[in-house]
Amino acid sequence: MAEFLQAYLAPWWLAYVVAALVHAVLLINVVAVGALIFIWLERKVSGRIQDRLGPTRVGGKFGWLQTLADGLKLITKEDLMPEGADGMLFRMAPYISFCASFAGYLALPFADNWVGARLNTAVFFILAVLGLEVFGVILAGYASASKWSLFGAMREAAQVVSYEVPLGMCAVVPVLIAGSMDLVTIGQMQHGWFTNWFVFHDPFTFITFWVYFTCATASVNRAPFDLAEAESELVAGFHTEYSGLRWSIFFMAEYGSMFAVSGLAAILFFGGWNGPLPITEWLGLADTTNPVLSYLGNFIGMLNFMFKCVFGVTFMMWVRWTLPRLRIDQVMTTCLKYCTPIAAASFLGATLWTYFLPGGLILPNNAYGLVREGQLIDGPYPPADAEGPSKETANEKTAGTGDLISQVAGEHRGRD
Amino acid sequence: MDAINWHSFFFLFFALLACGFSLAVVMTSNIVHMAFYLTLALGATSGLFFLAGADFVGAMQLLIYVGGTLVLLIFGVMLTAKGPFISMKTSAGDLVLGAGVGGALLVLLLAAATQVDAWRVSEPSPPVAQVTASRLGMALLGARVDKLDEKDPVQARGMSGYLLPFEIVSVHLLVVLIGSAYLARPKKRMVGGPVDTA
Amino acid sequence: MNLLTQPVGVSHYLIVGAIMFVAGVVCMATKRNALGVLMGIELVLNGANVNFVAFGSVYLRPEVTGIGLDGQLVALFVIVLAAAEAAVALAITLNFYNNHSTVDVDQADELKG
Amino acid sequence: MATQLDDPRIIEFDVRTDEMLVNMGPQHPSTHGVLRLVLRTDGEVVSEVTPHIGYLHRCAEKIGENLTARQWIPYTDRMDYLAGMNMNLGWALAVEKLMNLELPEKARHLRVLIVEMNRIASHLVGMGAYGLDLGTFSPFLYAFREREKILDLFEEVCGARLTYSYITVGGATADLPTGWIETCERFLAQLEPVIEEYHALLTTNAIFVRRTAGIGILSPEKAIDYGCTGPVLRGSGVDHDLRRDGEQRYTEMYDGYAFEVIVEKNGHYPKDHNYPAVPGSAVLGDCWHRFYVRMLEVMQSIDLVRQAIDRYSMATGSWGEPIKLTEKLPKGEAYLETEAPRGQMGFYVVSSGSGAIPWRVRARSSSFCNLSVTHDLCRGCLIADVPAIVGSLDIVMGEIDR
């Protein structure tokens, strides 16, 4: 894009700035508009679940503009800060939350190679950045100088730190199967029929997905794990003292991270932008050099991805409006006694499964092969070029460290 | 005019953030603000790691350091941040002493950092990105895939990888886990009596 | 030298590392709050980490293959050990706080002869 | 051998956290109005809960000493404003006892019908609000949906939706409108299956059971000592219901009605309906049992309303014309307790015999006694349990503060 713009913009560096801005604006719009739509959706979904209509008037029949109207109202509201509050931290906290939530989108691919920045460690990057959201919450709770807020912050700190452990473990399982932490690669590996999705790879990945989703719900603070804001106990928890725009920024962050973890779930387990049927391949939209066709294929992929994300978010809403809230000790028990051991066991199980049956459950030795180092390798495992000239050397030099290691080491050598 | 080197530009950005917030940690006396600045400093450092091509280390810095250790630290700060402990002033003598020693140390280190010519500049066009995550994993398991072709015996040293340190760290973490659980275990105290440290 | 147009070298990373290191040392020396001292330690370790990563970076020193991954590996170990160290230090601090109702390190002088 | 742990002077402590005094209320989402609870907390653990009341005090009793018996009826509505009909009934019966007034048969059945309907409405709110206390919003609206229908029915009867002043000394202000009985029957037929949904949403929900079972256990002895009544008492396994055990003047209203007191006897609840099973983790007297008793009483009330409809339709004569507004009260005193949805509601009236205005009027509130166990139940629980326990007592501040 920058190269394209360079032809038109006189100061050459402006092209980069404009390109960067366009990317940033695109992403921030996904978050902001996404939050608007999700808040509207949440109202509609909760309304329908509760046997009422939800918003019906603002902006036409379905209340499309309700969130916007609320946003306008929130902007005009007085921005209050308690007297004893720590001014700087109180003001910073919502933006920290929002930035953390927003930064996760940087590495989230919306379609094949449609990604802000293709990172080699995208999975961990997203998890790490989303985990930073907790700082905003803790600081907000502390800086508010309110006991209820402090309670909320303490709960959040304990909860999120604990849930990062099983969450990370669950995310590692698809990484293990794909052999890459690059989300684009992981998505590409699952193309074709829905049976190639990692959730159907083996029984352990299926279990892992549910553990992942539970932990993700907990780590983005959604009911039944919304202890940090538990309105029946802590008034409003960490955002008790917030009002107006700052308050709404907390909500943007919450919906932003809901979408992000759903997106991560879609890519890690549900094939990302690949539909259940390889329609884009039938239409000749995949692997084509024609830019228009490839754009069209990617666009369909993006719709697929969006649909999966929205489904994930709606699922979280459904859970929220159905279940009572857990108590703090029960939340910790769920994490430490159930999620972590299950995640660890399925990690082990998936490891063994991948070692013995690398092709997965439905299609043993499927044609798509394994991916190493971000490259798609066709052909069976181990790749043919692992038998490179230096395999012997590799074996010699890593004697005693096991077959698998020398094999992969040889493979590396062959590639380098 | 030369083209802006974006690597340098972002380096400058993150370096200023990291240094600025590190100094802010020293300057402020409010413990909660300190923790906050430390978070930002370490976050900026992870940006530096990304820039230096160490993706995995950068992500780990964010995940373990910023997301785990610092949350723990802030947790500890919040447990103990009460009244007089929020801002404890350092005596002027200590400050002068610290600044003097620190300044001297800084001069020494900066001199050392800028002494070697080969360190000052890098290749104008850095090589293509390398994926380091699986290499690091292999190295931790004892196979140095980046040194397979090394002929120089000095450079080839360390071929055995990091299997032993890796194991030691694992055991160490276990020990720490048990140790800190032991230290923070519930203790018994007599009502109205002295603390029983049993 | 214009930093915006010239490529940065290892030296620049080392300067950042040095500043963080010194900030950490001063922090350790002057803070009276035990947790402040702990934060100083974290800064020192991070300063060292910047150096390790810089020396091991292929971007900055393509001509030297010797250190290769070592820099990153050591940095990883430092991160992990720093987490362990922080956990233990925090446990000690909280214990101290339990027994003495303070986190002032100047008060921890019971062993003074 | 006595170990260190047996020594009561040795307490365990974790990280030293200073005690904190937190005000829960009077503006708090889950204190059911304007209750103020002062919590002494150590971290998440609550060591002491002190309820502070009086934010809704309106001198209702003093006002009653300046009004005639029938004029005070609207003030009783505002006591337990979720069960206005039951409040009306309590006062009306007390005054009737003082005046020694006998009611026509039709009036008795009419009162049972209306009062039991209101009990359903009141328990529905209790159920929905309890869900809210535990962090689930949907059951609240489900409960209000059904309650709306009851309020619609009441509106047809007396024109009011919350403060009815319908049951009055001597009977009721009016007879039921034509066609009302059929609407009511249709409503009952529709309500019955919906109760199953509530059981699925709350009573048997795993998280709900975890949040309530074994929490806030009130032993039967303690319940009696504190003067707890209603579902709180029966949830502790004490077989006591004024509709069966009360004063003759009150129980004769329910003469011939088939109903079983909802209480756990010999390890099981009445089996007249297909109730969900008691979970293994529930202990008699905990929050779950109090909630369960309320849910079962809804079914019981549905049965009672059906029986009352039958009897009312068969009965002949007057619906019970109210006494004159300025009817002179005889000299004497009368006290009568009725089984309101939240427990035993007693009204005490003393007349000097000099006119229509009673000399003294007092009310005994069930919620007041039920609330008094709060500090006992909440000692040592977590913060999240406080709304769970207070919610399970199902208090109404209007009745406590009067």
Side-chain angles (χ1 to χ4, degrees):
Chain A
M1 186 161 184
E3 292 76 19
F4 170 76
L5 283 171
Q6 241 169 340
Y8 298 94
L9 289 168
W12 53 272
W13 50 268
L14 201 59
Y16 287 95
V17 176
V18 170
L21 278 180
V22 167
H23 278 128
V25 167
L26 271 178
L27 282 180
I28 210 161
N29 269 313
V30 171
V31 185
V33 177
L36 281 186
I37 293 172
F38 284 134
I39 291 174
W40 171 83
L41 186 69
E42 174 119 50
R43 292 176 164 205
K44 276 311 222 191
V45 167
S46 69
R48 290 297 170 167
I49 286 176
Q50 294 166 351
D51 210 3
R52 56 192 176 86
L53 293 172
T56 50
R57 295 194 186 181
V58 186
K61 201 177 169 194
F62 301 108
W64 293 107
L65 294 178
Q66 181 69 52
T67 331
L68 210 59
D70 280 350
L72 282 177
K73 181 201 74 177
L74 285 171
I75 289 170
T76 58
K77 275 178 93 166
E78 187 186 354
D79 188 19
L80 291 167
M81 187 167 75
E83 205 176 86
D86 189 322
M88 182 195 74
L89 296 182
F90 187 84
R91 293 204 186 88
M92 288 290 288
Y95 305 112
I96 294 174
S97 269
F98 181 74
C99 288
S101 163
F102 172 56
Y105 286 78
L106 192 67
L108 193 70
F110 288 80
D112 198 350
N113 266 323
W114 281 16
V115 52
R118 183 170 172 176
L119 295 180
N120 295 317
T121 47
V123 178
F124 276 137
F125 178 79
I126 292 181
L127 285 183
V129 164
L130 286 182
L132 297 189
E133 207 192 328
V134 63
F135 276 107
V137 173
I138 294 179
L139 291 178
Y142 174 79
S144 291
S146 155
K147 289 166 184 173
W148 296 121
S149 303
L150 194 62
F151 273 127
M154 291 297 238
R155 286 181 174 190
E156 170 88 6
Q159 181 184 333
V160 170
V161 171
S162 314
Y163 270 94
E164 274 195 2
V165 176
L167 193 67
M169 258 190 228
C170 293
V172 163
V173 171
V175 169
L176 178 102
I177 296 167
S180 167
M181 284 194 282
D182 183 357
L183 284 174
V184 177
T185 312
I186 293 177
Q188 282 167 348
M189 277 201 66
Q190 303 178 60
H191 77 100
W193 290 82
F194 65 92
T195 46
N196 281 345
W197 292 356
F198 283 157
V199 71
F200 303 120
H201 183 271
D202 58 69
F204 297 106
T205 49
F206 189 75
I207 298 169
T208 309
F209 165 71
W210 290 106
V211 180
Y212 170 85
F213 205 79
T214 312
C215 297
T217 314
S219 68
V220 299
N221 253 314
R222 287 288 292 183
F225 303 103
D226 58 342
L227 289 150
E229 49 187 294
E231 81 281 342
S232 62
E233 300 146 27
L234 305 185
V235 189
F238 67 90
H239 59 65
T240 306
E241 304 293 344
Y242 279 86
S243 60
L245 196 60
R246 283 182 223 289
W247 180 83
S248 61
I249 284 183
F250 268 127
F251 270 75
M252 295 242 279
E254 178 178 330
Y255 284 92
S257 11
M258 271 166 77
F259 187 85
V261 292
S262 301
L264 203 55
I267 295 174
L268 289 180
F269 294 99
F270 285 97
W273 53 87
N274 299 298
L277 310 174
I279 292 176
T280 48
E281 276 157 50
W282 292 342
L283 296 176
L285 298 177
D287 302 327
T288 171
T289 46
N290 185 329
V292 178
L293 287 185
S294 134
Y295 183 87
L296 202 61
N298 270 344
F299 190 75
I300 295 175
M302 192 185 77
L303 291 184
N304 264 325
F305 177 74
M306 287 289 185
F307 174 77
K308 287 171 191 171
C309 292
V310 171
F311 184 80
V313 173
T314 316
F315 189 82
M316 286 189 191
M317 291 175 185
W318 179 24
V319 170
R320 172 176 176 184
W321 295 107
T322 309
L323 294 179
R325 182 182 302 113
L326 286 163
R327 213 169 50 200
I328 180 73
D329 60 323
Q330 290 162 349
V331 168
M332 302 308 275
T333 314
T334 313
C335 173
L336 300 173
K337 264 194 185 162
Y338 300 103
C339 288
T340 311
I342 295 174
S346 38
F347 176 54
L348 190 66
T351 313
L352 293 175
W353 192 287
T354 320
Y355 184 63
F356 291 113
L357 283 173
L361 180 69
I362 317 262
L363 296 174
N365 298 318
N366 69 21
Y368 301 112
L370 285 182
V371 172
R372 300 256 171 248
E373 306 260 305
Q375 274 176 278
L376 208 61
I377 305 158
D378 292 326
Y381 180 83
D385 63 353
E387 309 289 323
S390 66
K391 173 124 195 252
E392 239 176 58
T393 341
N395 273 345
E396 267 172 33
K397 293 198 167 181
T398 58
T401 45
D403 254 7
L404 183 70
I405 289 176
S406 52
Q407 222 169 41
V408 183
E411 186 191 315
H412 272 286
R413 174 63 195 80
R415 185 112 339 92
D416 294 339
Chain B
M1 188 182 149
D2 291 337
I4 287 186
N5 186 318
W6 290 102
H7 184 266
S8 302
F9 174 79
F10 282 111
F11 168 79
L12 207 60
F13 175 70
F14 284 123
L16 285 180
L17 277 184
C19 296
F21 284 117
S22 307
L23 293 178
V25 172
V26 182
M27 300 299 179
T28 181
S29 57
N30 183 323
I31 186 78
V32 185
H33 287 191
M34 272 172 73
F36 175 61
Y37 294 140
L38 185 66
T39 312
L40 294 179
L42 298 193
T45 315
S46 86
L48 288 179
F49 290 170
F50 278 110
L51 279 184
D55 287 19
F56 189 71
V57 179
M60 280 300 128
Q61 165 100 356
L62 278 182
L63 193 69
I64 301 178
Y65 224 130
V66 185
T69 313
L70 279 186
V71 171
L72 267 187
L73 202 62
I74 290 190
F75 201 72
V77 166
M78 279 162 66
L79 278 176
T80 55
K82 298 211 174 60
F85 307 133
I86 291 183
S87 358
M88 289 204 274
K89 291 273 183 294
T90 316
S91 64
D94 279 2
L95 268 182
V96 171
L97 207 61
V101 173
L105 192 59
L106 187 63
V107 169
L108 188 72
L109 285 175
L110 289 185
T114 49
Q115 210 53 249
V116 181
D117 283 338
W119 290 355
R120 290 215 191 115
V121 283
S122 66
E123 296 279 305
S125 56
V128 287
Q130 271 191 318
V131 184
T132 53
S134 49
R135 288 151 185 262
L136 286 173
M138 298 302 298
L140 285 178
L141 290 178
R144 289 298 298 270
V145 287
D146 58 328
K147 284 197 176 177
L148 291 177
D149 285 339
E150 195 57 63
K151 296 288 183 287
D152 183 358
V154 179
Q155 302 283 13
R157 241 183 281 159
M159 263 313 291
S160 56
Y162 282 81
L163 188 57
L164 184 64
F166 185 61
E167 287 303 320
I168 293 175
V169 165
S170 317
V171 175
H172 177 83
L173 280 182
L174 183 69
V175 171
V176 164
L177 198 70
I178 297 170
S180 48
Y182 175 76
L183 279 178
R185 79 200 184 283
K187 286 155 215 80
K188 286 148 198 88
R189 189 199 298 160
M190 297 280 257
V191 176
V195 175
D196 178 13
T197 47
Chain C
M1 188 180 98
N2 188 347
L3 255 181
L4 280 178
T5 52
Q6 296 295 311
V8 290
V10 177
S11 284
H12 301 91
Y13 280 82
L14 295 192
I15 291 170
V16 176
I19 293 176
M20 289 186 86
F21 183 86
V22 170
V25 169
V26 175
C27 201
M28 278 158 69
T30 56
K31 297 290 173 195
R32 281 169 59 209
N33 193 324
L35 292 165
V37 176
L38 193 56
M39 291 179 201
I41 297 174
E42 307 293 340
L43 273 180
V44 166
L45 292 174
N46 248 273
N49 257 359
V50 172
N51 288 12
F52 279 126
V53 169
F55 278 127
S57 169
V58 283
Y59 285 116
L60 307 174
R61 308 181 70 209
E63 82 284 3
V64 183
T65 53
I67 190 164
L69 287 174
D70 288 324
Q72 295 190 28
L73 279 163
V74 174
L76 269 185
F77 281 122
V78 169
I79 290 176
V80 172
L81 291 180
E85 162 260 322
V88 173
L90 206 62
I92 293 173
T93 308
L94 289 179
N95 229 14
F96 181 67
Y97 181 67
N98 275 346
N99 294 338
H100 296 82
S101 301
T102 178
V103 284
D104 189 350
V105 282
D106 292 348
Q107 312 265 314
D109 52 3
E110 274 183 2
L111 291 179
K112 207 193 277 179
Chain D
M1 195 187 88
T3 62
Q4 237 187 1
L5 282 174
D6 298 331
D7 190 337
R9 289 169 307 157
I10 293 174
I11 54 163
E12 269 200 349
F13 73 100
D14 215 325
V15 174
R16 177 194 295 245
T17 41
D18 292 339
E19 283 199 334
M20 232 201 284
L21 271 183
V22 197
N23 264 317
M24 199 183 234
Q27 283 94 25
H28 189 275
S30 63
T31 51
H32 295 251
V34 286
L35 173 63
R36 172 172 166 230
L37 297 170
V38 177
L39 313 182
R40 186 182 292 280
T41 64
D42 187 357
E44 285 271 335
V45 183
V46 178
S47 55
E48 192 187 335
V49 176
T50 320
H52 288 240
I53 60 172
Y55 291 89
L56 205 57
H57 185 56
R58 291 147 302 176
C59 311
E61 288 157 333
K62 198 69 200 164
I63 291 170
E65 293 162 14
N66 293 290
L67 296 173
T68 66
R70 262 194 71 195
Q71 278 176 329
W72 199 53
I73 291 276
Y75 289 88
T76 63
D77 276 328
R78 285 154 180 80
M79 290 193 174
D80 186 349
Y81 43 76
L82 295 176
M85 294 289 190
N86 300 64
M87 297 296 112
N88 297 165
L89 175 76
W91 174 241
L93 280 174
V95 176
E96 281 160 15
K97 185 179 173 189
L98 178 71
M99 296 170 72
N100 209 9
L101 213 65
E102 280 303 322
L103 259 70
E105 195 197 352
K106 195 167 179 178
R108 292 211 324 260
H109 298 314
L110 176 80
R111 282 181 171 187
V112 172
L113 172 51
I114 292 293
V115 159
E116 293 302 324
M117 282 290 276
N118 206 342
R119 191 186 305 276
I120 297 174
S122 167
H123 281 342
L124 283 178
V125 177
M127 178 210 95
Y130 196 42
L132 219 52
D133 288 343
L134 297 177
T136 176
F137 198 78
S138 297
F140 182 69
L141 287 168
Y142 286 1
F144 265 59
R145 177 188 62 194
E146 306 310 325
R147 178 173 175 262
E148 278 303 292
K149 293 171 183 161
I150 299 181
L151 296 193
D152 285 346
L153 286 168
F154 283 168
E155 193 179 4
E156 276 187 56
V157 169
C158 62
R161 291 174 70 84
L162 191 71
T163 51
Y164 313 105
S165 307
Y166 175 61
I167 295 173
T168 186
V169 185
T173 50
D175 200 358
L176 297 177
T178 47
W180 193 88
I181 293 289
E182 289 72 28
T183 323
C184 185
E185 274 173 336
R186 273 203 302 281
F187 164 70
L188 292 179
Q190 180 255 325
L191 176 65
E192 221 170 341
V194 173
I195 301 290
E196 300 288 316
E197 280 180 24
Y198 299 155
H199 282 312
L201 259 180
L202 287 178
T203 320
T204 56
N205 179 304
I207 296 179
F208 179 85
V209 172
R210 275 171 160 235
R211 284 296 306 276
T212 55
I215 303 296
I217 300 168
L218 179 66
S219 67
E221 297 78 30
K222 204 180 272 175
I224 293 170
D225 287 350
Y226 276 100
C228 296
T229 48
V232 177
L233 181 70
R234 288 192 287 276
S236 292
V238 179
D239 188 2
H240 186 75
D241 189 326
L242 284 187
R243 284 173 289 179
R244 187 193 62 195
D245 310 319
E247 226 173 293
Q248 160 76 32
R249 183 166 279 277
Y250 179 52
T251 51
E252 72 181 9
M253 258 173 64
Y254 289 92
D255 266 350
Y257 282 84
F259 70 98
E260 212 173 330
V261 174
I262 305 291
V263 68
E264 188 179 52
K265 262 183 292 190
N266 309 323
H268 58 80
Y269 279 92
K271 288 182 179 149
D272 46 349
H273 288 279
N274 193 17
Y275 300 128
V278 179
S281 50
V283 186
L284 194 63
D286 62 5
C287 294
W288 190 88
H289 275 273
R290 288 193 277 277
F291 176 81
Y292 190 59
V293 165
R294 260 179 219 116
M295 291 302 286
L296 263 52
E297 282 190 9
V298 173
M299 287 308 288
Q300 181 198 37
S301 290
I302 292 175
D303 289 349
L304 280 170
V305 172
R306 288 216 168 104
Q307 295 177 42
I309 285 175
D310 290 345
R311 280 155 214 265
Y312 171 81
S313 312
M314 310 262 251
T316 49
S318 158
W319 80 88
E321 294 274 359
I323 59 168
K324 281 212 307 281
L325 209 57
T326 52
E327 183 101 2
K328 202 165 168 262
L329 296 178
K331 184 177 164 58
E333 59 179 346
Y335 178 69
L336 190 104
E337 282 190 350
T338 56
E339 186 74 27
R342 283 172 183 75
Q344 298 176 9
M345 187 72 201
F347 283 98
Y348 179 55
V349 53
V350 184
S351 166
S352 60
S354 59
I357 296 172
W359 185 59
R360 283 287 176 267
V361 171
R362 289 287 181 273
R364 181 243 186 242
S365 151
S366 50
S367 291
F368 180 80
C369 296
N370 291 349
L371 180 68
S372 62
V373 296
T374 314
H375 76 276
D376 223 336
L377 295 190
C378 291
R379 191 175 298 135
C381 73
L382 297 176
I383 288 181
D385 292 333
V386 174
I389 291 171
V390 175
S392 77
L393 298 174
D394 192 18
I395 49 161
V396 166
M397 289 314 289
E399 187 189 328
I400 294 173
D401 291 343
R402 297 192 286 279

